[in-house]
Amino acid sequence: MKARHTISENKWERDVEDNASFLLGNKLGDYAWFADGPESRYQGWFVSFSYGLKEEMYKIIEDIRPANRSSVSEIDNHFSKVQRKGDSFKESFSIPENKHCLIYELKEKRRIELVLDMRNSYGDDYSEYEIKESDGRLLVKAETENETFFLAITGYDNFEKISERFVRYYNLDKKRNSPPFEKAVYKALILEGKKLLFSAFKNKEKAEMPLNDDLHLKNLEKNKNEPVDFVAAKTGLENLIVDEKERIFAGFPWFFQFWKRDEAISLGGLNVINKQKAKDVFRSLLENKNNDFERTDSADGVGWVFKRAFLFLNEFSDKEEKKLATQLRRCVDFNSDEVLKTTEPKGTWMDSISREGARIEMQALWLNMYKLGKIIDSEKKADYRKMEEDLKKKVYNVFWDGYVLADGYLPGENRVDKTIRPNLFLAYYIYPELLSDQEWKNCFRRALHELWLDWGGIATISKEDSRFNSTHTGENSQSYHQGDSWFFINNFAAICMNRLDEGKFSYEINKILEASRENLLWKGAIGHHSELSSAKSLEAEGAISQAWSFSTYLEAMYEIFKIKNYSWS
């Protein structure tokens, strides 16, 4: 299959794997992910409906295609729309930024097969369908045991009801060990037309209202002089921002949640492309509507929020700085005798393994919090300074042996965990003052000896460790943090090595960015940076579009190549 990225008159093209897919998103949290044919129950067109602070994702369309079409031989990503063609057809897909809509267009009028699977994204429910025509539109009512929602269709000349269920087998889900591997879906209609508009609703009254033409698509004309990988990463990250909430989804297609850690990490790259939007999201993360800011979805989420406070430190008003100081005080126990900070099993970002106790990146986050407290809280400045000094000294003495920066310490066993993992790069990124530059160089070199992957990645555990897995095991999480290479870690590592000594680590820096660029442009869903890759070879695995992968790539592009621009938003 031939793949192409197009921005204005600029084109980048190459041959890719035949199962290449594309993914489009908008500012509402919707996405459309299509391959030549459905390979996962998470492929199709999905819409995100808001319920207060919560977002729920619903699948609407399983597949849409010209009847009896040939295989896709070419895919052209314009970022705001995607065109595909084969021997007998040419089609395009687009999602407006401001409506729960999908626009499907052909070069010429054809009979179009529409297959539906209307349900909650995580659900296995089978909807009962009712299809009626009224006022020049088709209205599909889908009803499960617990809820009802609607699909309106316009733009057709004629239609034929098919109303047949059949079983779809999903090869990708089988490969990912993600059951169920098959599901009954609903071949609803044959539509005759050239350009169809699909609109999804939770409310019947809204579904029956006339549709207007106020559909906004991204305009990339002013981005035509930017590198294509920069535009791809920027577009991917912005498509994960839900504007109404000023929050960031962790990733598509199944991480459509707001997680403080993932969002805070993603502010680094968002700040490169849109500083105001980054600050708006930061404010949302700092909000305390439920009076529970310090209680979060992960042990490190709050620490990362405070790390990102340094992005805006010179721009806070007195009121904002006071609020930040108040929230920081809420998280700090000034009377604790425990210097090292411990977490419960599965409390860190490596949440598929226990990794309890005092962990190196958690110590770095607390050191950063104390450093921040010294700057913004004059009343507690002396307390923060002493706590920072005590923790820094303790971590240095317990974790650092002159060659290896330990991954953790288990106080109950009085045991240092010297497993070689890439969390030392997070520690450097968060709090580089922990070691001297020369100590960090020795630390990096020692770790890279066991973690480095020839294709330009970093494993999540030493290749010499008996727990190492070279191949991604999907929803069986055996490889997740025991071998798989995460792109946000790889990109962070490139940033860290560049900051520390760009000459000494130039080979690793360039190799990492080459691998990330390859994954972003030509692997999986083209134009999207996936969550991770198997250790043995560069692949697009895990979530196909991950916020912190995009963000850390943008951050690396800015720091290493000084590429920066602002959002078209």
Side-chain angles (χ1 to χ4, degrees):
M1 182 186 295
K2 188 177 295 296
R4 181 185 307 111
H5 298 286
T6 300
I7 306 173
S8 188
E9 68 275 10
N10 301 321
K11 300 180 187 297
W12 298 262
E13 181 177 291
R14 63 180 277 186
D15 291 330
V16 296
E17 297 174 351
D18 288 341
N19 63 346
S21 60
F22 73 86
L23 191 149
L24 293 167
N26 65 9
K27 296 181 177 181
L28 302 175
D30 305 344
Y31 76 88
W33 179 28
F34 288 98
D36 193 5
E39 297 180 314
S40 169
R41 64 192 187 279
Y42 290 101
Q43 287 181 336
W45 176 45
F46 291 70
V47 298
S48 177
F49 293 123
S50 179
Y51 297 89
L53 297 176
K54 188 178 180 183
E55 297 289 321
E56 286 285 348
M57 189 72 74
Y58 292 86
K59 185 173 184 179
I60 306 297
I61 292 177
E62 161 87 355
D63 192 26
I64 180 170
R65 63 177 58 213
N68 303 314
R69 75 156 168 82
S70 58
S71 297
V72 175
S73 60
E74 188 173 307
I75 180 170
D76 192 353
N77 176 29
H78 293 252
F79 297 97
S80 61
K81 68 176 181 180
V82 170
Q83 295 176 334
R84 300 194 304 185
K85 69 179 183 179
D87 292 340
S88 61
F89 71 98
K90 184 175 182 179
E91 61 186 356
S92 73
F93 300 77
S94 56
I95 299 182
E97 290 190 313
N98 59 329
K99 303 285 185 182
H100 296 299
C101 293
L102 172 71
I103 302 169
Y104 178 74
E105 188 170 5
L106 294 167
K107 184 178 180 180
E108 57 191 11
K109 185 188 295 186
R110 292 279 297 270
R111 285 167 57 83
I112 300 166
E113 296 178 354
L114 178 67
V115 180
L116 303 177
D117 184 18
M118 297 175 69
R119 57 176 172 83
N120 186 288
S121 180
Y122 288 148
D124 293 325
D125 295 341
Y126 295 98
S127 292
E128 295 298 326
Y129 296 94
E130 179 183 285
I131 303 173
K132 292 183 178 180
E133 186 180 33
S134 176
D135 298 325
R137 73 170 63 191
L138 285 166
L139 188 63
V140 181
K141 176 184 177 182
E143 193 168 18
T144 69
E145 184 177 342
N146 300 313
E147 54 194 339
T148 302
F149 46 109
F150 302 87
L151 171 66
I153 307 170
T154 58
Y156 59 90
D157 293 331
N158 295 295
F159 72 94
E160 175 187 350
K161 289 185 183 180
I162 305 299
S163 302
E164 293 179 356
R165 293 189 189 273
F166 66 96
V167 175
R168 176 90 71 188
Y169 184 81
Y170 298 112
N171 291 314
L172 182 57
D173 292 345
K174 175 67 174 177
K175 179 181 178 182
R176 291 185 55 248
N177 298 307
S178 176
F181 308 135
E182 59 182 35
K183 190 178 185 301
V185 295
Y186 185 69
K187 187 174 182 180
L189 294 158
I190 297 289
L191 300 156
E192 186 175 339
K194 181 181 177 182
K195 183 177 182 179
L196 303 177
L197 174 64
F198 299 90
S199 305
F201 305 89
K202 281 290 288 180
N203 182 291
K204 183 179 180 182
E205 286 69 34
K206 290 184 178 180
E208 292 176 335
M209 290 173 60
L211 294 172
N212 58 44
D213 295 326
D214 184 27
L215 302 176
H216 301 157
L217 298 178
K218 283 187 175 74
N219 178 7
L220 276 75
E221 182 63 27
K222 66 180 181 181
N223 304 99
K224 64 182 180 181
N225 294 322
E226 295 177 3
V228 63
D229 49 334
F230 188 81
V231 174
K234 175 163 62 173
T235 306
L237 180 58
E238 291 204 340
N239 283 343
L240 287 162
I241 300 171
V242 181
D243 267 6
E244 182 183 359
K245 299 288 195 301
E246 301 290 7
R247 299 290 297 272
I248 306 172
F249 278 162
F252 290 140
W254 44 76
F255 293 143
F256 40 84
Q257 290 88 27
F258 302 129
W259 294 331
K260 268 193 174 73
R261 172 186 58 218
D262 297 56
E263 294 177 271
I265 288 175
S266 297
L267 291 183
L270 183 56
N271 189 59
V272 171
I273 61 172
N274 190 336
K275 194 172 187 67
Q276 184 57 53
K277 178 65 73 176
K279 192 173 182 182
D280 291 342
V281 174
F282 177 82
R283 287 195 188 102
S284 294
L285 293 174
L286 202 63
E287 282 297 323
N288 193 30
K289 293 178 181 177
N290 298 321
N291 202 37
D292 63 351
F293 170 77
E294 68 275 23
R295 293 194 296 275
T296 185
D297 43 67
S298 62
D300 47 4
V302 166
W304 273 105
V305 173
F306 289 123
K307 171 63 179 175
R308 289 314 186 202
F310 282 89
L311 293 174
F312 316 108
L313 206 54
N314 296 325
E315 302 170 23
F316 289 132
S317 65
D318 291 343
K319 183 178 179 181
E320 288 174 323
E321 190 167 295
K322 184 176 181 180
K323 180 176 182 178
L324 183 65
T326 299
Q327 297 288 47
L328 182 56
R329 283 195 190 188
R330 289 170 59 92
C331 299
V332 174
D333 183 355
F334 293 94
N335 300 312
S336 176
D337 293 328
E338 294 185 1
V339 178
L340 294 176
K341 301 300 178 181
T342 60
T343 59
E344 296 299 316
K346 299 188 177 183
T348 71
W349 80 271
M350 288 187 161
D351 53 6
S352 72
I353 55 177
S354 290
R355 214 171 159 258
E356 70 275 16
R359 293 294 157 179
I360 185 59
E361 78 276 16
M362 294 299 300
Q363 311 316 303
L365 286 169
W366 279 95
L367 284 164
N368 178 77
M369 288 164 64
Y370 298 153
K371 182 172 74 171
L372 177 65
K374 288 190 310 183
I375 298 171
I376 64 172
D377 193 339
S378 57
E379 290 182 18
K380 290 286 188 179
K381 183 175 182 178
D383 295 300
Y384 282 122
R385 177 183 290 112
K386 184 178 188 307
M387 294 170 81
E388 181 185 9
E389 290 172 352
D390 289 348
L391 179 56
K392 181 179 178 181
K393 181 178 179 180
K394 185 75 170 180
V395 173
Y396 186 90
N397 290 334
V398 171
F399 284 72
W400 178 241
D401 68 1
Y403 299 96
V404 173
L405 185 63
D407 190 58
Y409 171 71
L410 289 82
E413 304 174 26
N414 192 26
R415 178 171 65 86
V416 178
D417 178 5
K418 291 192 175 183
T419 303
I420 303 297
R421 294 188 182 275
N423 299 300
L424 57 95
F425 291 107
L426 295 178
Y428 176 87
Y429 180 90
I430 297 162
Y431 191 79
E433 299 94 329
L434 180 62
L435 303 178
S436 70
D437 283 357
Q438 187 57 53
E439 288 172 325
W440 277 118
K441 290 175 188 178
N442 295 339
C443 172
F444 283 9
R445 272 286 167 231
R446 176 69 179 80
L448 286 169
H449 176 72
E450 296 192 29
L451 298 173
W452 182 251
L453 304 171
D454 290 342
W455 55 261
I458 294 174
T460 37
I461 194 170
S462 168
K463 296 176 292 183
E464 300 172 11
D465 194 292
S466 61
R467 294 165 289 180
F468 173 77
N469 294 267
S470 64
T471 303
H472 179 54
T473 55
E475 283 192 9
N476 173 350
S477 60
Q478 184 175 339
S479 70
Y480 212 42
H481 300 108
Q482 308 274 43
D484 288 346
S485 181
W486 291 62
F487 288 105
F488 93 98
I489 288 287
N490 297 347
N491 296 334
F492 264 151
I495 291 169
C496 293
M497 288 186 278
N498 185 71
R499 290 178 180 177
L500 184 61
D501 192 331
E502 60 182 317
K504 186 179 184 70
F505 297 105
S506 60
Y507 173 79
E508 290 85 356
I509 294 167
N510 290 326
K511 197 72 175 176
I512 286 172
L513 294 182
E514 287 172 7
S516 287
R517 187 177 192 270
E518 178 75 8
N519 173 269
L520 172 63
L521 293 180
W522 308 114
K523 294 284 188 178
I526 66 166
H528 287 267
H529 210 351
S530 69
E531 180 184 15
L532 53 82
S533 168
S534 290
K536 70 175 182 179
S537 61
L538 174 60
E539 305 291 347
E541 293 170 310
I544 208 70
S545 180
Q546 191 83 357
W548 61 15
S549 299
F550 291 124
S551 171
T552 52
Y553 187 76
L554 289 167
E555 202 173 342
M557 291 284 282
Y558 173 55
E559 285 210 18
I560 297 170
F561 302 117
K562 302 299 181 279
I563 297 173
K564 182 171 183 176
N565 210 325
Y566 296 96
S567 167
W568 49 73
S569 303

